[in-house]
Amino acid sequence: MSQRTGENRLVVLSVAAALLLTLMPLPEVIQSLRPHWVALVMIYWHLEGGRLRTMGGAFVLGLLLDVMTGTLL
């Protein structure tokens, strides 16, 4: 397994974890303090990679997040 394949798997795994954290229910008291997990993970991987990945992937991920959370597109 090449290093690139391992990195891609780690990116996919961390984005999946961020999606699950976004869907996790929180008490109403701290609901407004919920961070934007997917955005934080995407920013981290863009900075860590030293280059920007495609904007298409971020767009598709944003659409997926909108559908999962039930927000308006």
Side-chain angles (χ1 to χ4, degrees):
M1 179 171 64
S2 70
Q3 183 177 356
R4 184 100 168 128
T5 304
E7 179 185 331
N8 287 340
R9 286 183 182 174
L10 187 59
V11 170
V12 169
L13 185 63
S14 61
V15 168
L19 286 170
L20 289 175
L21 284 171
T22 300
L23 294 176
M24 185 177 69
L26 291 176
E28 285 295 322
V29 176
I30 58 173
Q31 184 70 23
S32 63
L33 300 175
R34 176 191 302 266
H36 297 282
W37 291 108
V38 177
L40 290 172
V41 168
M42 291 298 291
I43 290 169
Y44 172 77
W45 282 115
H46 284 297
L47 292 174
E48 179 66 27
R51 67 197 179 292
L52 290 177
R53 288 180 165 69
T54 61
M55 288 300 291
F59 178 75
V60 169
L61 189 59
L63 285 178
L64 177 66
L65 187 62
D66 285 344
V67 168
M68 289 176 68
T69 57
T71 58
L72 294 175
L73 297 175

